[in-house]
Amino acid sequence: MGNILDHIFNFLYPIFRGWGLGYSFSSYVSLVLNIIVLIILTYSIYMLFRFLFVTAMAIIALKTKTKFDDLIISNKTVIYIAQLIPFTLIYKSVPIILKRYDYWEDVFGKLVGVYIVLLILWIIRSLLNTTQDYLKQIPRFSDKPVDSFIQVIMIVLWMFGISVIISKIFGISQKEMLTILGAVSAIVILIFRDTILGFVASVQVAINDMVRIGDWITMERYGADGDVIEINLATVKVRNFDNTTTTIPTYSLSSDSFQNWRGMLNSDGRRIKRHILIKASTIRFLEDFELDNLQKVELVQPYIQTRKAEIERFNQANAIDKSLAINGRNMTNLGLFRKYINQYLHQHAGLNKNLTMMCRQLQPTPHGMPLEIYAFSTDKRWVNYEYIMADIFDHVIASVPYFYLELYEMPSDHTFLKTESL
C-alpha cells in the first residue's frame, strides 16, 4: 500500500520541477493538489464502503431471524467501520504528502492518529451497545444489570484509549504511561469512587440476585416504592406508584436495607395481616337464649350445636354449679366470633386455602383487644388485593354487633355532646 501511495502523491512534484518551476512553488502546488486528491479519494472510498457495508448488513438482516444484525445497523456500527478505512488511508498518506513539512506532518499525523483511536473506541462502544440491547430482549437477561457491566468495560476501554492518545500526542511510551497512572491511582480512585463502589455493588447484586429489572422494591431512606426500571453502574432507577422516579445509588443496595417484593409476587398468595380492636368491656360469656339466637348464623350453627352439647355433658358429669357463669365450661362471644371469622375466611373465594389462614388474638392494648386476620389472597395485583381485603373487613366489621360485641373507637366531640345531652 505504501508504494501505491508514494506513486500517487509523489509524481506531481517532479513534473513541476521538470517544467522549470521553482522549489517553493512546485512544493506548495503539489501539496494543494495532493490534499485535493486525498479528500476526493478518501470520500469516494468512504461512500463506497459505507454503501457496501450497509447494503450487505441489510441483506443479512432480512435473511436471518436474529435481531442482533438489526441492532448493529441501528447502532451505526457499520458506518463507523466504513469511516475507519478512509482514515487509515489518511494516516498512511500524511507522512508522504507532508514529508517536506516536518512540523505539520507531526501535527496532522497525531491528530489523525487520535481520531482513529477514538473511532475504534466508538466502534467497540456501538458493538457493546448492540450486545446490551440484544441481551435485554432475551428473557433470562432482561432483568440482569447488563448496563453496569457494559459501562465498566467502556470505562476500562476509555482509560486505555486516553492513555494511548496521551502517548501519541506527547510521545510517551505505554510503559511510562502505566507508571504515571500508577502514581495518580489515588486521584483516580477518588474521582471514580462512586463508579468503583457501583461496580462492586453491581457484581454483588448480580451474583446474589438481590434486585432485577421489574422488581418491586421499597427503600424508605430514598423514598422509593415501585418498580425497578433501570440498573446501571452508578444508579438504580425506580418508578414509584405515583409515576415519579427515584434514583438510588447502586452501592446503597449492598450497604443499606431495602425490601424486595419479588418473593411475594412469585408466591401463591399475597399476605393479608390486619386487625380490628374489640372493646374489652363487651367481651363476656353468652347466655343460653343468646346462643339460641346465634344458631341462626349458618356458618357457626353446626359448631354451636356440637360445642353446646359437649359443654353440657362436661358440666353435668362434673356437677358444675351454673348459678355463676364463670363456673365450668362456657362459650364467649369473642370466641364464637373468632370461630365465625375462621369459617368465613375458609369459604371466601378470594383467599388461598393452601396457605396459612387464621383469626387470632393479639396482646391486649389500652385501646381494646386486637383481633387479627392472617391470610393470603389468591390475586396479588394491588387493586384486586385491596378490594379482597376491604371486602373481608367490611363484612367482619358489620358482623361485630351480631355477637354482642363493640368495636373500640376513640370518642369524638359528637360523643361527648351526646353524653351531656343524656
Side-chain angles (χ1 to χ4, degrees):
M1 184 178 180
N3 293 332
I4 297 173
L5 293 176
D6 283 335
H7 181 72
I8 293 173
F9 296 115
N10 282 331
F11 81 98
L12 290 175
Y13 178 78
I15 292 175
F16 292 146
R17 292 290 290 163
W19 289 349
L21 299 176
Y23 171 81
S24 297
F25 181 81
S26 300
S27 179
Y28 284 122
V29 170
S30 62
L31 173 64
V32 171
L33 292 175
N34 282 335
I35 291 173
I36 294 172
V37 170
L38 179 61
I39 292 172
I40 295 172
L41 186 62
T42 301
Y43 183 75
S44 300
I45 291 174
Y46 167 67
M47 294 304 294
L48 174 63
F49 279 96
R50 176 175 175 171
F51 173 77
L52 291 175
F53 288 165
V54 171
T55 304
M57 190 57 64
I59 294 172
I60 293 171
L62 288 173
K63 292 186 177 181
T64 57
K65 295 181 179 179
T66 180
K67 296 292 182 181
F68 189 81
D69 38 28
D70 299 291
L71 294 171
I72 287 178
I73 296 173
S74 63
N75 282 297
K76 300 180 180 179
T77 305
V78 291
I79 295 176
Y80 291 138
I81 295 174
Q83 289 182 23
L84 185 61
I85 296 172
F87 270 94
T88 303
L89 173 65
I90 294 174
Y91 185 75
K92 294 289 186 180
S93 303
V94 165
I96 299 173
I97 296 175
L98 299 175
K99 66 180 180 179
R100 297 181 183 87
Y101 307 92
D102 295 337
Y103 174 78
W104 293 111
E105 177 187 347
D106 183 61
V107 170
F108 282 103
K110 289 179 178 179
L111 290 176
V112 175
V114 167
Y115 185 81
I116 290 174
V117 172
L118 292 174
L119 195 57
I120 292 172
L121 290 174
W122 289 335
I123 292 172
I124 297 173
R125 183 188 64 181
S126 66
L127 287 171
L128 290 174
N129 288 338
T130 301
T131 304
Q132 172 183 314
D133 296 338
Y134 179 72
L135 291 176
K136 285 184 175 180
Q137 296 179 0
I138 301 175
R140 60 189 175 131
F141 291 105
S142 61
D143 54 358
K144 299 294 186 297
V146 178
D147 295 351
S148 299
F149 297 109
I150 297 297
Q151 288 174 357
V152 169
I153 295 172
M154 281 308 305
I155 287 174
V156 173
L157 289 174
W158 275 110
M159 291 179 65
F160 178 75
I162 290 171
S163 68
V164 173
I165 289 171
I166 293 174
S167 66
K168 281 189 172 295
I169 293 175
F170 298 103
I172 304 173
S173 67
Q174 290 295 312
K175 184 177 180 180
E176 292 173 338
M177 278 299 303
L178 291 174
T179 304
I180 294 171
L181 287 175
V184 299
S185 59
I187 299 175
V188 172
I189 291 173
L190 182 63
I191 295 173
F192 294 103
R193 172 182 173 274
D194 289 345
T195 302
I196 295 170
L197 290 174
F199 170 64
V200 175
S202 297
V203 172
Q204 291 178 338
V205 166
I207 292 175
N208 299 322
D209 197 20
M210 297 166 62
V211 177
R212 302 175 188 170
I213 294 173
D215 282 357
W216 168 19
I217 67 169
T218 301
M219 202 167 190
E220 294 182 0
R221 177 181 174 184
Y222 295 96
D225 186 15
D227 299 327
V228 176
I229 57 175
E230 183 180 332
I231 303 174
N232 54 45
L233 194 61
T235 59
V236 174
K237 290 184 180 179
V238 179
R239 184 174 57 241
N240 300 314
F241 293 123
D242 58 358
N243 287 326
T244 60
T245 301
T246 300
T247 302
I248 303 171
T250 304
Y251 59 79
S252 66
L253 294 177
S254 58
S255 61
D256 296 336
S257 176
F258 68 96
Q259 190 172 16
N260 192 330
W261 296 85
R262 188 203 311 160
M264 178 273 294
L265 295 172
N266 293 337
S267 68
D268 295 328
R270 184 170 180 177
R271 189 181 68 174
I272 296 172
K273 187 177 181 292
R274 182 182 289 183
H275 67 266
I276 59 173
L277 291 171
I278 302 295
K279 189 182 292 185
S281 60
T282 63
I283 302 173
R284 59 182 177 81
F285 297 116
L286 289 168
E287 300 288 344
D288 289 338
F289 74 91
E290 291 172 332
L291 286 172
D292 292 338
N293 189 40
L294 285 170
Q295 286 193 60
K296 297 176 183 178
V297 181
E298 294 180 352
L299 288 178
V300 291
Q301 184 184 55
Y303 173 78
I304 293 174
Q305 292 173 351
T306 305
R307 185 66 173 163
K308 188 177 180 182
E310 289 176 357
I311 290 173
E312 288 177 353
R313 285 196 300 270
F314 176 85
N315 291 336
Q316 290 174 4
N318 292 277
I320 301 297
D321 180 10
K322 293 303 296 177
S323 60
L324 290 177
I326 195 173
N327 293 331
R329 297 173 66 177
N330 301 279
M331 276 191 282
T332 63
N333 54 353
L334 184 61
L336 190 56
F337 186 47
R338 284 192 295 108
K339 182 63 178 179
Y340 171 79
I341 293 175
N342 274 313
Q343 292 296 105
Y344 174 75
L345 295 177
H346 279 86
Q347 60 87 42
H348 197 287
L351 300 179
N352 191 327
K353 311 303 184 298
N354 297 319
L355 298 177
T356 305
M357 184 184 299
M358 63 179 170
C359 175
R360 61 174 181 165
Q361 289 184 17
L362 301 181
Q363 181 71 24
T365 70
H367 303 293
M369 174 66 72
L371 199 62
E372 183 183 77
I373 290 177
Y374 192 100
F376 291 83
S377 67
T378 53
D379 198 327
K380 293 168 285 186
R381 292 171 293 180
W382 187 17
V383 174
N384 296 349
Y385 163 78
E386 292 289 347
Y387 176 82
I388 292 170
M389 185 162 54
D391 180 64
I392 291 171
F393 278 87
D394 287 347
H395 183 89
V396 169
I397 292 170
S399 303
V400 170
Y402 288 89
F403 292 84
Y404 311 104
L405 295 166
E406 292 182 26
L407 289 174
Y408 176 82
E409 188 175 23
M410 290 289 288
S412 63
D413 293 340
H414 177 72
T415 306
F416 290 120
L417 290 172
K418 186 175 178 181
T419 306
E420 289 176 3
S421 64
L422 294 175

